[in-house]
Amino acid sequence: MKTSALSGFHDLRPEKRLEIVKKFAGLTQKEALTLRNLGLGMKLADMMIENVIGTTQLPMGIATNFLVNGRDYLIPMALEEPSVVAAASNAAKLARPEGGFTTLSDPPVMIGQIQIVRLPNAKKAKKLVLRHKEKIMKIANAQDSMLVRLGGGAKDVEARIIRTPRGRMLIIHLIVDVRDAMGANAVNTMTEAVSSYIEKLTGGEARLRIISNLSVHRIAWAKAVWSRNLLGEDVIEGVLDAYAFAAADRFRCATHNKGIMNGIDAVAIATGNDFRSLEAAAHCYAAMKSYKPLTHYEKDAEGNLVGTIEIPITVGLVGGATKTHPVARTAVKILGIKTAQELAEVMACVGLANNFAALRAMVREGIQSGHMKLHAKNIAVMAGAKGTLIEKIARRIVREKKINVSSAKELLDSLHAKKKRFKERLKKRR
Ligand code: MEV
């Protein structure tokens, strides 16, 4: 039976961890090598964007312990920030005794917007568009017969009039099921294709024809229960206080939601998905009424902590970097994900896990101690430490609460001096 509860995983060397993940996900030797050192490569990079001069790299870590709808997942996360992978793993571990995460999601439906300006009669134009929605959808669907064959394509047309300082405009929404794509290409092609027909129909002029990143029809939900016995009363009360703070104060709420996106973006980057669209959607969705947390916490009848998340997640498995980037393809294989909807649900769980972990850490020891352990290693390297001295210095500066480069340098100098004195004494004795 495959399990993501890999105890001691974080104590292993990266190569050993990769071996375990390789076995878990059935990776080929080439895929394992891709993660280790082949990466993207200049040739592929040059096909992805313009004016390529190289590639950049981020560490990819694996969040363990995720049990989602009864299935074990290992979660690849790519980001520069320490503690996020450990926090997600830890939150998922604490949720396991209560069954892990359960999820739901909408079908992958996106909105394409067509802006019509200079209308002779906006109300009449709106009626005409709605009366001819079948024809508009037919033109849209003729652009992507493959998507239609897979059960996707344009499903509806909506229209509303907006008042702007530049006059009334008719805003048409083309509602498109994009199946396993993120959807921008399919939707943008469709909106461009239907615009001249709409111009003829309305007598107006089409301006923007573009996807909306506020993907309100593509929401993912996740829920987890953290038991009272495991967390303790105090921590639960603390998390509820922290949640109430975010719900009542937008300065706190922005950071609360940022912690959610730490996890979600990291999976998006690992799988080659567009994290900017996720950010745009998440924060705009959070601000639909007034700016609110994307998660919710309450106690159940037994006093356990119940956390939920509701968030738009627009990710794809076909097209874009997810298919072309070898590391992203391998990350998808590690996840063992079969549909974009499944990926969205797992990402919602990661967002909830990271949010819970951050709140829990802040109401207990604070966020810095976890952060600082890894950060201390970076500081030691910056101070010039090499080999085993990195760990030694990192541990000392954490213990002495002096996590800065000058303290690390001082320590390094004194260790070097000690070593020198020792060698000299040894020489004299000989
Ligand atoms: C840091 O990247 C994220 C946190 O600030 C999130 C939060 O405050 O909830 C720790």
Side-chain angles (χ1 to χ4, degrees):
M1 190 43 191
K2 271 201 320 193
T3 177
S4 64
L6 306 173
S7 83
F9 189 72
H10 70 281
D11 294 324
L12 301 173
R13 280 181 298 112
E15 293 77 11
K16 184 71 195 150
R17 291 191 202 116
L18 179 56
E19 237 172 68
I20 292 171
V21 173
K22 184 177 171 217
K23 220 181 250 166
F24 180 96
L27 300 184
T28 62
Q29 190 57 21
K30 171 108 190 275
E31 284 163 335
L33 268 178
T34 295
L35 291 179
R36 239 186 106 139
N37 46 25
L38 294 180
L40 177 61
M42 204 69 148
K43 240 191 186 156
L44 276 175
D46 196 37
M47 287 196 262
M48 286 174 72
I49 63 163
E50 308 73 35
N51 300 351
V52 165
I53 58 157
T55 58
T56 181
Q57 290 187 327
L58 282 172
M60 185 189 288
I62 292 288
T64 54
N65 299 315
F66 274 81
L67 184 62
V68 181
N69 303 324
R71 192 186 142 190
D72 272 284
Y73 291 87
L74 289 180
I75 318 275
M77 299 174 82
L79 81 167
E80 83 300 339
E81 185 174 329
S83 299
V84 174
V85 177
S89 306
N90 200 21
K93 185 176 179 181
L94 292 170
R96 276 182 91 88
E98 299 298 315
F101 298 84
T102 46
T103 64
L104 273 178
S105 60
D106 283 330
V109 170
M110 299 298 289
I111 296 168
Q113 294 195 294
I114 303 134
Q115 175 198 23
I116 310 290
V117 298
R118 314 224 190 299
L119 283 159
N121 183 334
K123 268 194 185 155
K124 192 169 158 214
K126 179 180 167 183
K127 271 192 197 147
L128 278 168
V129 164
L130 293 177
R131 203 176 304 148
H132 291 83
K133 60 164 76 171
E134 291 303 329
K135 172 75 179 170
I136 295 170
M137 286 193 282
K138 196 168 166 205
I139 299 171
N141 284 334
Q143 310 308 310
D144 201 333
S145 54
M146 175 70 130
L147 182 62
V148 175
R149 239 178 289 138
L150 292 170
K155 300 291 180 189
D156 202 2
V157 175
E158 297 166 350
R160 71 198 146 88
I161 296 163
I162 58 169
R163 284 183 180 77
T164 80
R166 293 181 58 83
R168 286 178 165 205
M169 296 173 185
L170 182 65
I171 307 301
I172 299 160
H173 281 188
L174 191 61
I175 310 294
V176 186
D177 184 326
V178 297
R179 297 285 87 199
D180 284 323
M182 180 273 179
N185 276 335
V187 170
N188 293 341
T189 307
M190 286 181 179
T191 55
E192 288 185 11
V194 297
S195 63
S196 61
Y197 174 72
I198 294 174
E199 280 181 333
K200 275 189 215 119
L201 201 61
T202 59
E205 224 176 281
R207 284 272 191 247
L208 302 193
R209 298 154 302 164
I210 192 79
I211 196 165
S212 167
N213 283 124
L214 179 52
S215 45
V216 289
H217 301 305
R218 207 172 178 180
I219 307 296
W221 292 265
K223 175 181 167 188
V225 177
W226 287 280
S227 93
R228 182 178 147 198
N229 295 341
L230 220 55
L231 295 192
E233 225 34 85
D234 251 22
V235 168
I236 292 183
E237 291 302 319
V239 170
L240 291 174
D241 286 341
Y243 170 66
F245 180 14
D249 179 87
R250 62 180 59 211
F251 288 93
R252 170 60 207 149
C253 194
T255 323
H256 179 103
N257 287 340
K258 189 270 182 185
I260 296 171
M261 300 313 289
N262 270 350
I264 291 179
D265 284 348
V267 182
I269 294 169
T271 57
N273 272 291
D274 178 348
F275 52 92
R276 287 89 55 213
S277 82
L278 289 165
E279 287 284 341
H283 292 285
C284 197
Y285 191 68
M288 289 290 274
K289 290 189 189 114
S290 60
Y291 189 67
K292 288 289 175 210
L294 291 157
T295 50
H296 176 90
Y297 292 92
E298 62 190 33
K299 273 199 283 192
D300 68 10
E302 283 86 50
N304 301 315
L305 183 72
V306 183
T308 51
I309 184 168
E310 174 180 330
I311 186 168
I313 296 199
T314 47
V315 284
L317 289 181
V318 296
T322 309
K323 265 282 175 280
T324 48
H325 197 306
V327 176
R329 273 205 312 267
T330 310
V332 170
K333 188 161 173 185
I334 293 171
L335 278 160
I337 293 276
K338 293 290 176 282
T339 65
Q341 236 176 300
E342 186 186 357
L343 177 56
E345 290 180 21
V346 169
M347 286 168 77
C349 298
V350 179
L352 176 59
N354 274 110
N355 177 236
F356 163 77
L359 301 187
R360 177 172 173 262
M362 284 185 293
V363 302
R364 292 169 82 217
E365 68 277 3
I367 212 76
Q368 285 308 84
S369 74
H371 252 69
M372 283 306 171
K373 273 181 207 140
L374 262 181
H375 185 53
K377 279 196 194 172
N378 291 330
I379 297 272
V381 172
M382 275 189 247
K386 292 204 172 70
T388 53
L389 280 182
I390 299 173
E391 187 72 39
K392 198 169 183 173
I393 289 179
R395 250 188 278 128
R396 275 276 291 276
I397 58 178
V398 169
R399 200 169 56 232
E400 291 167 15
K401 295 195 169 58
K402 288 183 186 160
I403 308 170
N404 55 62
V405 178
S406 59
S407 302
K409 247 193 177 115
E410 248 171 55
L411 199 59
L412 185 65
D413 289 345
S414 85
L415 287 172
H416 279 323
K418 206 166 150 191
K419 198 168 164 193
K420 203 171 154 199
R421 281 199 303 277
F422 179 72
K423 274 188 179 162
E424 280 166 3
R425 249 185 280 140
L426 213 64
K427 225 189 219 167
K428 269 189 207 153
R429 244 186 258 161
R430 279 195 202 128

